[in-house]
Each structure stands twice: as structure tokens, then as C-alpha cells.
Amino acid sequence: MIHDDNSLQLVTFNLGREEYGIDIMKVEGIVREEEIRNIPNAPVFVEGVFNLRGDIIPVISLHRRFNIPEMKKDEADELLKGFIIIRVHNMKLAVKIDKVSKVTNIDKKKIQEPPQMNRGIGSEYIQGVTSLDDQYIIILDIDRLFAMKELKQLETFKR
């Protein structure tokens, strides 16, 4: 896909019934779900950690953080669940997803301001919304998903 100043390339995925997107420049990779080791006394949205080629990476559940029900999955969907590895303020995190969708280009002119939301992910964490092929996509601002204090706490779990 061609990337230019007028478009934004997104990795799209499902959390519950909604489709979300993250700027591909923030994504380090997508991996199948791995065994997660629990961490005592971790915040409720931290499912644990897993080992990715020698890196210990905290696993974040946006379902838990924003009270989003998990998607009902069939066998095909089970094969598409996993983690999106992102880099937030120089720290690798794994975001647990229900189903990876695709990588797509979005015309920046078609991105709208996020609506005020009463449930789910608040507008302060949303970069914008757009539609593609009659599908509504919520574009996450991953740099704002976690406070620096939370990231410092997550860093301690890697040791």
C-alpha cells in the first residue's frame, strides 16, 4: 500500500462488536495468542506478561480497562485472535484483541472528530472515526491510552 501525507495506514481489529484501528507506525507486530503468566497485584486491565523472543511484554486487556464485552467467536474467529504489539513511549505492550481484520489506508480528510461516548472507550483516547466499506472504524490514540504513571508501573512487571 502506498503511504502519503494525505492517508493514514491502519491496522484494524475487533474488540467486542466494534472495529478499531491503530496507526501502523505504532505497531511492532501481530502475534497469535500466547500463554500469559499472571502477575500478582497487577492493575485489573493487565492480564499478565508473555515472552516474545526473549522480550517480556505486558499484556493489556482493553476489554477490562473500558468494560467492553468480548466478541462471540466461532471457530474461524478463534484463529484470528491474538495480540497487537505496540510501542507506547518507548515501551512494548501487547494489546489483546478479539479478531485482527486487515491493514488499510484511510484518507485523512475522511477522519472525523470522535463523538462523546458514555460507554466503552472515552473520546479522550480516540484520534478520530471514519468509515470504510460501510464499516465504522474507531481510530485509537495509543499514546493517550496509558498515563505515564501506569507505564512506569507496567515497566516494573518486566523485571
Side-chain angles (χ1 to χ4, degrees), residues 1-9 105-106 108:
M1 291 189 177
I2 298 170
H3 184 75
D4 61 35
D5 290 340
N6 297 320
S7 67
L8 178 65
Q9 198 169 26
N105 270 356
I106 300 292
K108 286 183 179 177

Side-chain angles (χ1 to χ4, degrees), residues 28-85:
E28 298 252 331
I30 301 170
V31 296
R32 293 184 70 137
E33 192 163 310
E34 299 281 335
E35 181 182 342
I36 300 171
R37 298 258 194 191
N38 289 330
I39 301 172
N41 302 317
V44 69
F45 63 87
V46 177
E47 288 205 11
V49 294
F50 83 105
N51 186 327
L52 179 65
R53 297 183 287 277
D55 267 348
I56 304 302
I57 301 176
V59 178
I60 306 301
S61 170
L62 295 181
H63 296 98
R64 290 181 185 176
R65 176 146 185 160
F66 297 111
N67 199 24
I68 298 170
E70 287 196 33
M71 154 183 184
K72 289 184 172 58
K73 300 178 191 107
D74 59 24
E75 280 186 47
D77 292 335
E78 284 293 325
L79 296 172
L80 296 172
K81 71 180 183 178
F83 307 134
I84 294 181
I85 311 300

Side-chain angles (χ1 to χ4, degrees), residues 13 15 20-23 26 45-46 60-63 65-66 68 84 86-89 93-97 120-127 138-151 154:
F13 56 93
L15 281 178
Y20 293 88
I22 296 176
D23 183 343
K26 302 285 185 174
F45 63 87
V46 177
I60 306 301
S61 170
L62 295 181
H63 296 98
R65 176 146 185 160
F66 297 111
I68 298 170
I84 294 181
I86 60 173
R87 185 170 291 280
V88 181
H89 301 290
L93 300 174
V95 175
K96 190 173 180 182
I97 60 171
I121 296 178
S123 60
E124 65 268 29
Y125 306 113
I126 299 173
Q127 186 175 329
I138 300 166
I139 304 168
L140 296 178
D141 184 343
I142 63 163
D143 289 325
R144 296 184 71 190
L145 278 178
F146 305 98
M148 288 306 287
K149 179 176 150 185
E150 292 171 320
L151 291 172
L154 292 173

Side-chain angles (χ1 to χ4, degrees), residues 100-117:
V100 68
S101 294
K102 59 187 169 191
V103 174
T104 188
N105 270 356
I106 300 292
D107 182 346
K108 286 183 179 177
K109 293 177 191 152
K110 294 185 178 179
I111 297 173
Q112 300 173 20
E113 289 291 314
Q116 292 297 320
M117 298 187 168

